[in-house]
Amino acid sequence: MNFEQIIDAVRIGFNNPLSVQEKRKGIYQLFIPVFHEDGDAIDLFFTENNGKFILCDFGLTLQRLSYSYEIDTDNKNAILHKIITENGLTEEEGNIWLETTPASVFNDIMQISHAYAKIGSMRYFKREVIESLFFEMLDDYILSDLSAYNPQKKVYPIPSRDDLEVDYSFSPNGHPVYLFAVKDSSKARLATISCLEFQRANLNFRGWIVNEDFEKLSKKDRSRLTNACDKQFTSFEEFKSTANIFLQREKSV
Amino acid sequence: MCWTDEFIRELITCPKMVTNPPKETTRAYVNAGMKKTFGLSSIDGHHTFTGFIMQNKFFAENFSIGLIYQTHVEKGGIVLLRCNGKHGGTKQYPHHADFHLHYATAERIAAGQKAEGHIEICNAYATLEGALEYFVDLINVSPGSKDLLITPRKHQLDIFDNEL
């Protein structure tokens, strides 16, 4: 295919503040003055597919997002594909692309670079939304679905130790089940210490852990926590599926 | 948390060991390339880090190796350093693709900007393997841990071995 016609159309549209360089045979990289927050230019290429020009990124937008944000749940994947679809783009093996023509290329570059920026902004959800949801969702679930086990919040099993706080206490039978909600290593270590101190004080209890994401903890934190507690749920989803079953088993003891 | 450029430099260069060796991730990105993540901590145990190694499957020169500091005080981690391949232009060099480094700065963190926005061209490497060796030396990984991150060189004579 003759790429000169489409490259000339881009130069005219941008009035020349750009550069185009051949990256590989049949693949041209556009250097346009549109930048990410870290100062890197957006990754944008021309190539052809089945005789048509396409604008694409060869997976580099998702690569950049992946520095600090993982598309690791069905919900995040759905949001990603909603952004892609609603912006008229297509994703294939990580490559996000849009068909274009010399007549529409300037507008298509505006559209696709805007969409790449929206995809990149998914990382903002990481801290502000995803992390805060864990405790809220856990609280909602416990107070609604596990109310039969008389949940109590912020319990101090050893009255003289106000540094050893339990997130939730359940009473399925004669002895309490103490539940710690763990989302990072500092909470993992606190839960470990608490369980060990309660054992040292000869309290009759069960120490349970619900992890936001068990795999996020370091190997040593996982090991210490597993050795100190009685039961772990590796994720909130797992807790929702089986907590009632395990509390019923405690009830029948 | 009080950030200064000296503190950032100290975090980057303090002696470290690998706590979790690189493992390949199976996330969405893997469709377009390779991503491995690994864990590090400072030898004195005061600081925790994670790292990543990524390479695009279409363009081998498009790679990134990063060091993320886990603050444990504020939410999320801070990307302190990235060793990048020739992915394309930057604000300083908009029409060139060069191997370059991204550094976090205190000014950018204080301004609420993406931390690792200070860019420097780097001529110390030209491949992912070379960048990984450069990265491991730059962040001061202990000799006992280096082999967990980089493939040891095959036994081969160095032409300058006997040089006085």
Side-chain angles (χ1 to χ4, degrees), chain A residues 19 21 23-24 29 31 37-41 43 58 60 63 66-67 70 93 123 127 185 219, chain B residues 27 29 31 35 54 56-58 61-62 64 72 77 82 86-87 89-91 95 100 102 108:
Chain A
S19 167
Q21 293 177 19
K23 178 92 168 170
R24 300 284 194 275
Q29 184 164 11
F31 293 80
E37 295 88 340
D38 63 2
D40 282 344
D43 302 288
F58 286 104
L60 290 165
Q63 175 175 330
S66 188
Y67 290 163
E70 298 284 8
E93 296 188 16
R123 66 184 175 85
R127 295 175 211 171
S185 62
K219 194 174 164 184
Chain B
R27 313 296 192 196
Y29 172 66
N31 287 336
K35 181 179 178 185
M54 282 192 266
N56 187 269
K57 77 175 181 186
F58 299 101
E61 71 274 27
N62 281 58
S64 188
H72 301 298
R82 289 195 342 246
K86 290 178 145 186
H87 59 65
T90 63
K91 267 190 172 165
H95 300 304
H100 60 280
H102 282 260
R108 290 186 66 90

Side-chain angles (χ1 to χ4, degrees), chain A residues 8 37 39 47-48 83 85:
Chain A
D8 284 343
E37 295 88 340
T47 187
E48 64 88 20
I83 295 173
T85 310

